[in-house]
Amino acid sequence: MQIEANNPELKSWVHVSPDTDFPIQNIPFGVAIPPGKTPRVCTIIGDKVVDLLETYDLGLFDGVGVQRSVFYNRYINDLMALGKEKTREIRQRISELLRVDDPHQAELHSGRILVPVSQCKLLM
């Protein structure tokens, strides 16, 4: 089943190399430790970690119906336990936030939600 987040026409405001494994259409979940922070659930776009806990704290997941503890976590188990429908909804929101035409203006918070992969410790 194709969801809008996988649309090959999507473009992101985040610069992404054409040969990356992590374009806007591929939103994987994992756990990372950004500099000076605790482990948290994140995703990657290009060579940037997207800190989903910071994204949540900025109110950018409002309306998705997910608890903060899902992202403030050393493991993705609680996120995966929400089920496929909810994780698709979360991926959809992340996709919306990363799009060139983002109505939520996540780009204004890029310094808070994006961290170079090279500065993070990837746990999973």
Side-chain angles (χ1 to χ4, degrees):
M1 173 171 129
Q2 172 123 349
I3 62 172
E4 178 59 25
N6 299 124
N7 181 339
E9 300 300 315
L10 292 179
K11 303 289 182 224
S12 177
W13 52 265
V14 178
H15 173 73
V16 177
S17 170
D19 62 344
T20 185
D21 291 332
F22 302 108
I24 192 171
Q25 294 83 3
N26 182 16
I27 300 172
F29 292 117
V31 177
I33 304 175
K37 297 185 178 176
T38 58
R40 67 239 1 252
V41 175
C42 298
T43 190
I44 293 180
I45 182 165
D47 64 351
K48 303 282 191 263
V49 167
V50 182
D51 185 330
L52 298 181
L53 178 60
E54 290 289 341
T55 304
Y56 181 94
D57 287 347
L58 287 165
L60 298 173
F61 281 115
D62 288 356
V64 176
V66 64
Q67 299 293 319
R68 183 179 192 268
S69 61
V70 168
F71 302 116
Y72 187 57
N73 207 314
R74 185 178 184 85
Y75 305 99
I76 63 170
N77 299 27
D78 291 348
L79 175 66
M80 294 296 107
L82 295 174
K84 210 151 222 6
E85 186 174 319
K86 185 55 78 175
T87 57
R88 278 190 187 121
E89 184 180 356
I90 293 167
R91 276 193 173 94
Q92 183 64 31
R93 177 57 63 90
I94 295 166
S95 173
E96 291 167 2
L97 295 172
L98 296 174
R99 290 181 197 171
V100 168
D101 59 348
D102 165 37
H104 306 283
Q105 300 186 356
E107 186 174 8
L108 296 175
H109 305 288
S110 62
R112 186 164 163 192
I113 65 174
L114 294 180
V115 183
V117 171
S118 62
Q119 294 179 14
C120 295
K121 180 176 181 183
L122 303 179
L123 301 179
M124 181 179 167

